[in-house]
Amino acid sequence: MSYKEEPGLDKQFNAEEIEKRCDAYWSANEIYKYDATQSRDNSFVIDTPPPTASGSLHIGHIFSYTQTDIIARYQRMQGKSVFYPIGWDDNGLPTERRVQNYYNIACNPKIPYDQTFKPVHIDNDKNERREISRKNFIEACETLIAEDEKIFENVFRRIGHSYDWNLTYSTISPTSIKISQASFLDLYQKGKVVAVEAPIMWDVTFKSAVSQAEVEDKEMEGFFHDIRFSVKDSNETFIIATTRPELLASCLAIVAHPDDERYKHLFGKTAIVPLFDIPVPIVPSEHAEKDKGTGIMMVCTFGDAADVTWWKKSGLPIKQIIGLDGKIMNITYGEGVFNTLNKEEAQKNFNQIIGLPAHIAKKKVAEMLKEQGFLIGEPKKIVHPVKFYEKGNLPLEFVSSRQWFVKLMDMKDEMLSAGRKIKWLPSYMQHRYETWTEGLNQDWCISRQRYFGVPFPVWYKVDANGNIDYSQVILPSKDRLPIDPMADAPNGYTEAQRNQPNGFVGDPDVMDTWATSSLTPQIAMAMAPKGSNLSLPFDIRPQAHDIIRTWAFYTIAKSLMHENTIPWHKTLISGFILDPDRKKMSKSKGNVVTPMNLIEAHSADAVRYWAAKAKLGVDTAFDEKMMQQGRKLIVKIYNASKFVFMIVGNSASADYAQNISAALDKSWLKKLADTVNSARRSFENYDYALALDSIETRFWDFCDNYVEIVKKRAYSEDNASAIATLKLSLDTFVKLFAPFCPFITEEVYQARPWKQPSDISVHKELWTSLDILQTVSAKDSLLYDTISAVSAEIRKQKTFENKSQKNPVLSLVVKAGEQAISCLKANDSDLINVGNIADHGITYQVAPELCVEKIMLDQNFVPEKKKVG
RNA sequence: GGGUGUGUAGCUCAGCUGGUUAGAGCGCUACGUUCACAUCGUAGAGGUCACAAGUUCAAGUCUUGUCACACCUACCA
């Protein structure tokens, strides 16, 4: 496919046309296709973050993903075969929630599959959510993510990200499920993943287990209740201050610090829990602090993580009173673990809270305590941090349940040393990884009681009595993956034996979404063409800093467990986009600017320019001014190119280097060569922002100075050197800017009169082709620097005297170092041209510093236009 | 409580391993230009480089301390 019908540049710059033209051309010619025949050494392999397919892309995505694209494009122009996949993270809770709202449906696994059901988008429906089967629900999820992903793709194409779209993956695809399930089987075999019945953090809204990484603290209002406990066979009482009175019924013990003089004498005695008359031991424990509350506290199952720790050591049974729905369970006193000294009274009181949600039960218990005289004074308001699931809106509960865990606690040291083998950019981001790893206090709970995710490839045997025997795990062979144990029967069984005595049941849970996301390198590799030389570690993992503890951490963990290596050599951590008021941008504020609007308003290259200006890891305030600046640069590139084309005219020869002979041209090219070197150095350090800075500065220098100086000579007969230099300069800038502004550079590249049939795309060009600058340029840029400086002084003087730039200069004195003077004397024709200086008008003097004096302008000069007026 | 980062012109930010009178863009003021330029140029106003002490011939840049903000992490009866 050819690039454009009409050759050359249009009179007017039209960003949208150029963007669409480029996208079509790149895709038709597979410019960004990964070349699987290249060796690993000659490849650059990227573990791209798959954005969550939950509606729309945020401007923050454009920001950080563009930074990666710039790096990918630079590496491609270094001759590397760039492995640059893109994926969609579409499994898990975010998708489920979006689907529920979008179609106003809810999943009920008990309902049978309805073949005729078609999900329809329903806006603002007040009706109750329609309940559908698990299979229908999953199909609805698949329908919506397909739509969302199309929109994402359009935005990424429009902004010019150079993904190889053949490598697109989705985390819910059969391939991803297969890889994720194979990972599970591998870890199971290695003893790294185990199912245990244990207290876990439970979100009551989503009715699912969550992991430590998904938990965040929220500052919550709470109340300290001072409750009087009595001591068995004694008149003594003591006061406990608690924020969780509803847990009284699950109290296991009373603890105080071993050295606490106030309570020492109570150790070994038995306390009586009010309302329920439960006898519990009073014991010393280090984890009680003397100066918190009243210094003495109750241990319940479970108020917090400390209770869990204490309970584990105690060997006491669990008294679970909060159910998985977050409500108080129906409990009969005097049965099982629920002992009491007064069965009737305990039951009467407990009956008052059965079925209530925990936060309402709390109030009810407080009332009862008050009525019966156990509450001292009024509850005291406090604000304290409470653990929440990051997406939940009710506090987490600790409940005991059977879940799958990946054993991480025994590999913390290994994780830390792996983290040190990876280069973190910026380096301080490694601290976050280290603190998180050091602070890890539980294994990774990977089972979720949800629907849209990767199922556990696990069945359990059902015994002769119809009871599930969790110790009898049935696993599929790897060649059966992907598998859904809720739909497929294990080998040796038939579907008819499901849920039957001596039959089997499938594990109904799905995996934590991170259990799959942590395999993005493996998933991406699965998308590569056959015969690829890919392997871990990859070169880079770009990602944002908020998911260091999840995505980065889990990917490193899985890579170590499966392949015994780090997953990538470097990780590039991007910053956030902040509101202009420096708050984290959020949709809820309603001030969201969508990426597409910005692209339309400023052009894709301009939006990219804004992203390219920010350094890695730095949170940046959103600023449209920066896009306007980018737009100016792009228009300038367009116009400068048009001008060069005009001067160059029909000189279509691409073999220009040998014509470069003028001293000024060589001196300018030295300047340009230095810029190439410094930009290359910056890029090698992944400092694309610094590279852009130096390129941009040199480009404006080119426009403002070199082009002005050489203009007259370029129009003259003796213009071969000037024309060759303009060509070489423009070719150079187009390549230098290509990673940042892929559209305008491609447009100019394709429009060059000296374009050769072998010139496919600027994005296939090599930076090594810029080495020609080194051979044709002068040893130094002294001549160019001097002429630029002198002409700037002349320009200044003309402006100061309100004269036209064409106004002749009768005479001036140039003072400069010996070398500069001799160099200038021999090559002053360009200076005379640009300043319009009279013959023999320049007086040269050797001086320590460059200085221009006594500029005499021709006061009789009248610009042409003013003659008319 | 522990830790990391940030604090430079009205705004958004550069300033790499310490080196001459601290920079850019935008904004503002004044003037000019319309030449490839949905422009550009020149000049001006505007900074005690958060604060304090120290090291050094020399500190925005290094050290220590203080303050403010952001974030990470822990605790959370």
Side-chain angles (χ1 to χ4, degrees), chain A residues 623-754:
Chain A
D623 184 12
E624 266 190 89
K625 288 272 161 51
M626 203 54 98
M627 298 182 191
Q628 286 167 14
Q629 192 180 326
R631 170 122 188 153
K632 247 172 68 175
L633 170 68
I634 288 143
V635 171
K636 191 77 179 179
I637 293 174
Y638 194 79
N639 286 314
S641 305
K642 259 188 355 192
F643 178 67
V644 170
F645 294 173
M646 194 184 73
I647 289 187
V648 166
N650 298 325
S651 163
S653 163
D655 185 19
Y656 41 63
Q658 78 241 16
N659 289 327
I660 295 167
S661 55
L664 174 86
D665 298 342
K666 293 182 158 216
S667 176
W668 148 252
L669 290 174
K670 169 64 178 162
K671 204 89 180 155
L672 188 53
D674 289 347
T675 300
V676 170
N677 287 336
S678 74
R680 198 192 309 249
R681 263 197 312 277
S682 301
F683 261 126
E684 294 302 327
N685 295 326
Y686 294 84
D687 194 347
Y688 50 82
L690 193 57
L692 174 58
D693 221 53
S694 53
I695 294 166
E696 203 186 353
T697 305
R698 189 62 53 232
F699 177 68
W700 286 103
D701 180 21
F702 170 72
C703 295
D704 295 344
N705 297 306
Y706 178 75
V707 168
E708 291 303 327
I709 292 166
V710 85
K711 221 176 216 177
K712 206 158 179 181
R713 175 153 57 89
Y715 280 122
S716 77
E717 290 202 346
D718 181 25
N719 63 359
S721 178
I723 285 187
T725 306
L726 286 170
K727 282 178 175 177
L728 178 55
S729 301
L730 191 68
D731 272 353
T732 302
F733 280 120
V734 157
K735 286 172 202 168
L736 291 177
F737 278 122
F740 303 98
C741 308
F743 297 102
I744 185 67
T745 50
E746 185 76 302
E747 177 78 4
V748 169
Y749 179 87
Q750 298 289 346
R752 293 168 309 147
W754 60 96

Side-chain angles (χ1 to χ4, degrees), chain A residues 143-217:
Chain A
T143 306
L144 187 57
I145 59 179
E147 284 177 29
D148 284 347
E149 285 160 14
K150 199 69 212 156
I151 295 168
F152 279 27
E153 177 174 345
N154 287 340
V155 176
F156 280 150
R157 281 183 179 276
R158 185 68 188 273
I159 195 75
H161 290 175
S162 58
Y163 307 121
D164 179 350
W165 290 95
N166 299 306
L167 306 175
T168 309
Y169 63 83
S170 125
T171 57
I172 197 67
S173 71
T175 305
S176 295
I177 293 177
K178 181 177 171 177
I179 289 169
S180 198
Q181 290 182 333
S183 158
F184 176 87
L185 293 179
D186 185 42
L187 296 185
Y188 186 87
Q189 224 153 40
K190 289 174 172 159
K192 285 283 189 184
V193 63
V194 289
V196 280
E197 169 88 26
I200 44 117
M201 289 181 284
W202 181 265
D203 182 89
V204 298
T205 317
F206 294 103
K207 297 189 182 61
S208 178
V210 304
S211 69
Q212 190 184 347
E214 293 164 297
V215 174
E216 63 182 29
D217 285 352

Side-chain angles (χ1 to χ4, degrees), chain A residues 200-456:
Chain A
I200 44 117
M201 289 181 284
W202 181 265
D203 182 89
V204 298
T205 317
F206 294 103
K207 297 189 182 61
S208 178
V210 304
S211 69
Q212 190 184 347
E214 293 164 297
V215 174
E216 63 182 29
D217 285 352
K218 283 188 190 169
E219 287 291 325
M220 289 284 290
E221 232 176 50
F223 291 91
F224 257 132
H225 301 74
D226 287 346
I227 300 171
R228 189 194 345 256
F229 281 58
S230 52
V231 180
K232 198 180 172 197
D233 305 326
S234 157
N235 295 330
E236 268 189 277
T237 60
F238 58 91
I239 312 290
I240 278 181
T242 179
T243 55
R244 308 273 321 251
E246 75 276 21
L247 290 178
L248 276 177
S250 70
C251 182
L252 291 187
I254 303 295
V255 298
H257 195 272
D259 301 335
D260 197 327
E261 296 299 333
R262 293 169 296 178
Y263 304 113
K264 255 183 172 173
H265 66 286
L266 294 175
F267 295 148
K269 295 189 177 171
T270 298
I272 310 289
V273 178
L275 299 184
F276 309 104
D277 296 314
I278 310 164
V280 293
I282 304 171
V283 291
S285 174
E286 297 279 348
H287 93 276
E289 285 175 43
K290 289 186 219 173
D291 49 3
K292 271 197 181 164
T294 53
I296 190 161
M297 60 189 275
M298 58 178 190
V299 177
C300 307
T301 48
F302 297 96
D304 58 32
D307 283 350
V308 176
T309 313
W310 190 92
W311 164 81
K312 275 186 186 159
K313 279 191 278 187
S314 74
L316 291 171
I318 296 178
K319 292 183 184 173
Q320 187 77 51
I321 63 160
I322 297 179
L324 296 182
D325 56 0
K327 292 175 181 165
I328 305 294
M329 294 158 66
N330 192 350
I331 280 157
T332 310
Y333 269 84
E335 280 185 14
V337 296
F338 292 94
N339 58 327
T340 170
L341 300 175
N342 189 337
K343 201 170 152 184
E344 208 172 301
E345 186 68 14
Q347 195 66 53
K348 196 181 94 195
N349 286 327
F350 196 82
N351 283 347
Q352 309 259 333
I353 57 169
I354 289 173
L356 296 179
H359 61 280
I360 301 196
K362 183 192 305 240
K363 285 182 190 148
K364 187 73 202 167
V365 171
E367 269 171 39
M368 288 192 285
L369 286 167
K370 194 174 178 184
E371 280 165 16
Q372 301 183 30
F374 296 111
L375 191 65
I376 313 296
E378 286 297 311
K380 289 181 281 287
K381 193 201 270 189
I382 55 155
V383 174
H384 64 156
V386 177
K387 283 191 196 315
F388 275 71
Y389 173 46
E390 58 187 353
K391 298 185 174 75
N393 41 25
L394 282 173
L396 289 172
E397 294 295 345
F398 285 82
V399 300
S400 183
S401 113
R402 188 185 169 281
Q403 306 286 345
W404 288 101
F405 291 87
V406 175
K407 290 163 127 182
L408 292 178
M409 292 301 282
D410 56 4
M411 58 184 291
K412 282 167 78 165
D413 288 343
E414 209 186 331
M415 290 294 290
L416 286 170
S417 80
R420 290 178 196 129
K421 285 180 200 147
I422 295 165
K423 188 175 169 75
W424 298 72
L425 293 160
S427 59
Y428 57 77
M429 287 297 178
Q430 193 186 347
H431 288 286
R432 297 208 185 180
Y433 175 81
E434 298 234 339
T435 3
W436 174 256
T437 307
E438 280 162 4
L440 197 71
N441 59 32
Q442 52 192 262
D443 285 328
W444 178 16
C445 174
I446 55 164
S447 40
R448 298 289 180 275
Q449 288 63 53
R450 304 299 310 174
Y451 318 105
F452 194 60
V454 174
F456 284 83

Side-chain angles (χ1 to χ4, degrees), chain A residues 103 105 113-120 130-133 136-137 139-140:
Chain A
Y103 298 124
I105 53 175
Y113 180 62
D114 175 0
Q115 234 172 351
T116 62
F117 176 77
K118 286 261 174 320
V120 181
R130 176 167 172 189
E131 292 202 330
I132 58 170
S133 73
N136 283 121
F137 186 76
E139 284 174 1

